[in-house]
Every structure is written in structure tokens, then in C-alpha cells.
Amino acid sequence: MSDEAAVSYNGPERVFSGVQPSGNLTLGNYLGAIKRFVAMQESHDCLYCIVDMHAITVWQDPSELTRATRELTAAYIACGLDPARSILFNQSKVTAHAELAWVFNCVARMGWMERMTQFKEKSGKHKERASLGLFAYPALMAADILAYKATHVPVGDDQKQHVELARDIAQKFNQDYNAQGFFPVPEPIIQGVATKVMSLRDGAKKMSKSDPSDMSRINLTDDTDAIAKKLRRAKTDPDELPADAKGLEGRPEARNLLSIYAALADEELVTVLDHFGGRQFRDLKEALTELTVVKISPITEETRRLMGDPGAIDKILEDGAERARAIADPVMADVRRLVGFV
Ligand code: TRP
């Protein structure tokens, strides 16, 4: 096999990313992930996976998991993801993820896993009560990526350490099984600060669907009144808005609202600073409400329309899974052979 002979990977470039189907989708998911995924399908072969197996590492109500999986699929499509071009599917439909994750559980070292900061944060003070799946989560994530020999992984800052673990696993597998260049060493593509959306109540915290306060986020299902109310009450500081990036230092709320504006308007932050510099937060909030409604309501309406036909959504996922299997199956056949499974 020529791949094994080559020291470095020389297969095609491929993009893989995953989003968990849990809770409601926020403006943060849209600007930070989905919008970027949609843009990448222009230039790359992409797989976008709804990671339902990752979701159950913490308890998920089964019917809610089903609903959230369909809603995320619908939202992707409503945001412009083309399921004929990119491969859109849910993880549990393709058994390669679970199978490769087991092999990787045996490649990864306890010491590597114990360094994962997200596990420490999520398991909190009661580590012994966390699921084993939550601890093994990053090995499953490595399997997601490497079952397709993906080379590029767009993720948020908080997932960078997990992609680094996937790099370590790929290299150790290649080495242990004497298969240099078999798995690529995947590159994380980290989102810029401009698309990192922070909480409306605290500019230092990420906007999150799991924040107990609904006022901290804009959901993709919020109507005009809810958007207006949340932005009107969003945290600010007493000063007028700065006219340049330097003036944003130590002002996380101003940075956040201006960045959201820039991302929604597809403008550079400097342009937005130039426009709002010297003006009051109130002006920015009004303009931002209008812009958010204009950009978000077509997505909300289209998501709702698509959710009206769950059968059609399930068919799209099955279709995507079939195309995903076509890529993963030969990789798994090679993995079994390399490991020595008869
Ligand atoms: N762990 C990621 C998150 O919570 C989701 C994810 C699962 C993922 N598998 C992946 C992201 C593979 C990138 C590649 O955000």
C-alpha cells in the first residue's frame, strides 16, 4: 500500500465538523459555526455531522433528541447548506464512528485524556458521577474526523484541545501500526474573534444554549419582539462607542455587540467601528435589532417550514449517511486489517 510507504499523508483535502443536537440553536451557533460551514462548501468537500452520540454523554430526553436532530438538520438547510453538495448526516447512522472510537480508546493514553479541560469543566466536582462516555468523548471526536481521513476541522476555540488530541491519536496509530501516512494529521481551523458570539448578559462568557438565562442569548426561533427585548436589555457600559479597535480594550460588551453587527452585515469590524464611533449604545442596539430580524427571520421561517415534514428531513439524513458510509467503509476495512482483526 503506497499510503503506508509515504511518511506524510498525501490524500485529498476534506473538511469535517460536528455540532451537537442539544437544546435550541442560538445566534452564536449560526454566526460561529453554521454560516462558516455554508461558506466552506464553496471551496471544499465537506462533511457536516450532527453528533447525537456525543449528545448522550450527558442525559438527553429521547424524544427531545429526535426533535433537536431534525431541527438542526432543518436549520442547516435553512441557512444555505446544500445537502446535495455537502454530506449532512447524523453520527449514529454510520457505525464506523463507534467502531473506530473503540480502536482509538485503545490508542489514546489515560494521561492524554486526563488533561482534557472540557471534561474537567463538564464533570465539575462530581467526576465519579460523570458518564464514561463523557470522559471518552474526545476519542469519539477523533474517530469522527479520521473515519473520513478529514484534513481540516473548523471548530470553536473550546474544541482546539480535542482536535490536538485527534492529531496525537492519528500519529500514534500510524506509528504503532507501522502505517506512516495512513491517517492525516488534521488541522483545526479556529474561528476568528469576530465570529465568536458572547453572552448578552456578560461579554466575557460565550453565548450558549445551556446558559440558564434565556436573556443571555438570541435563539434562532426568537420572534421580533423577543429579539428587540433581549437586545434592549443587553449589558452595556456607560461610555459612548469607540471609533477604533484599540478603544474596545476592556469593553467586552461593546466588542460583542459591534462584532455581532459586523458578522451579520458581512462587514469588517473597522467599518462598523467607523460607523458607530462616538454614538450611544442605544443607536447600535436599534440598528442591531433591525439587522438581526432581517437576517434571522427568513431562517426561522424556513426552519419551521422544513420541520413540518419530518419524513423529508429523515430522508436527507439517510441519504447523507449513505454517502458518508461510502467514504468510511474502505477506511475501516484498512483499519481492521492494520490492527490484525480477522
Ligand atoms: N465536540 C464538538 C462540540 O461540542 C462537536 C464535535 C463532535 C466535533 N465531533 C466533532 C467538531 C468532530 C469537529 C469535529 O462542539
Side-chain angles (χ1 to χ4, degrees):
M1 220 181 107
S2 61
D3 256 352
E4 286 172 37
V7 168
S8 60
Y9 184 75
N10 56 16
E13 288 200 351
R14 188 172 281 143
V15 169
F16 184 101
S17 198
V19 173
Q20 297 199 35
S22 47
N24 294 323
L25 286 166
T26 69
L27 186 64
N29 299 120
Y30 172 60
L31 292 175
I34 302 178
K35 190 166 179 258
R36 293 195 317 143
F37 294 172
V38 172
M40 286 191 92
Q41 69 181 355
E42 302 298 327
S43 51
H44 291 80
D45 285 332
C46 303
L47 291 114
Y48 294 123
C49 186
I50 297 169
V51 291
D52 46 7
M53 290 161 66
H54 276 105
I56 63 162
T57 56
V58 297
W59 172 252
Q60 302 294 326
D61 174 76
S63 57
E64 173 53 26
L65 181 63
T66 304
R67 191 203 63 78
T69 300
R70 290 184 180 136
E71 187 182 69
L72 184 53
T73 311
Y76 266 122
I77 297 167
C79 292
L81 197 110
D82 178 1
R85 200 175 339 165
S86 299
I87 299 180
L88 178 61
F89 70 110
N90 59 311
Q91 192 181 27
S92 60
K93 275 196 196 297
V94 182
T95 55
H97 296 253
E99 192 183 353
L100 187 57
W102 182 258
V103 175
F104 286 173
N105 281 346
C106 301
V107 172
R109 304 291 92 186
M110 287 295 286
W112 301 0
M113 306 303 286
E114 275 163 357
R115 279 198 289 277
M116 295 294 116
T117 54
Q118 195 174 67
F119 175 75
K120 290 183 209 166
E121 280 160 23
K122 283 198 185 174
S123 59
K125 284 197 200 90
H126 298 287
K127 226 171 89 178
E128 68 284 359
R129 275 194 242 150
S131 73
L132 180 55
L134 189 66
F135 186 67
Y137 174 121
L140 175 60
M141 183 163 156
D144 297 340
I145 299 165
L146 295 168
Y148 305 96
K149 297 192 174 180
T151 53
H152 293 85
V153 186
V155 281
D157 215 19
D158 61 321
Q159 296 297 316
K160 192 167 169 232
Q161 194 185 32
H162 293 162
V163 180
E164 276 158 12
L165 183 90
R167 294 169 62 85
D168 291 341
I169 289 177
Q171 282 169 309
K172 183 160 162 43
F173 181 97
N174 290 352
Q175 187 129 45
D176 289 354
Y177 291 103
N178 200 14
Q180 287 308 325
F182 177 71
F183 282 125
V185 180
E187 294 283 343
I189 307 177
I190 306 295
Q191 67 188 50
V193 271
T195 49
K196 186 159 173 192
V197 179
M198 310 306 278
S199 159
L200 299 178
R201 310 299 295 171
D202 177 356
K205 263 182 26 195
K206 197 169 145 177
M207 182 181 283
S208 162
K209 48 194 167 192
S210 55
D211 192 307
S213 165
D214 194 57
M215 291 299 284
S216 71
R217 64 182 157 260
I218 289 172
N219 303 302
L220 289 189
T221 47
D222 284 346
D223 60 18
T224 306
D225 287 350
I227 293 172
K229 186 168 132 198
K230 287 175 179 180
L231 286 174
R232 210 179 320 117
R233 301 215 188 138
K235 188 174 170 198
T236 57
D237 62 45
D239 296 332
E240 60 187 28
L241 293 161
D244 55 33
K246 212 170 160 290
L248 288 175
E249 275 168 29
R251 300 185 65 189
E253 283 80 21
R255 176 189 297 279
N256 188 35
L257 295 178
L258 289 162
S259 300
I260 294 174
Y261 189 98
L264 280 172
D266 282 314
E267 279 174 12
E268 295 295 330
L269 186 57
V270 286
T271 315
V272 176
L273 280 161
D274 192 53
H275 181 75
F276 286 103
R279 291 166 67 180
Q280 302 298 319
F281 269 100
R282 191 156 45 85
D283 295 348
L284 171 61
K285 285 178 164 188
E286 270 169 26
L288 185 55
T289 301
E290 200 175 312
L291 180 63
T292 307
V293 169
V294 166
K295 295 284 178 172
I296 295 304
S297 48
I299 295 172
T300 307
E301 276 160 35
E302 181 62 2
T303 304
R304 212 172 284 148
R305 193 188 67 77
L306 291 164
M307 285 292 276
D309 188 354
I313 294 176
D314 294 359
K315 183 154 178 328
I316 288 168
L317 291 174
E318 185 47 46
D319 207 64
E322 208 173 294
R323 286 155 63 213
R325 283 182 211 115
I327 302 172
D329 284 352
V331 176
M332 289 313 298
D334 284 342
V335 167
R336 283 184 219 110
R337 185 179 47 75
L338 286 165
V339 172
F341 291 159
V342 176

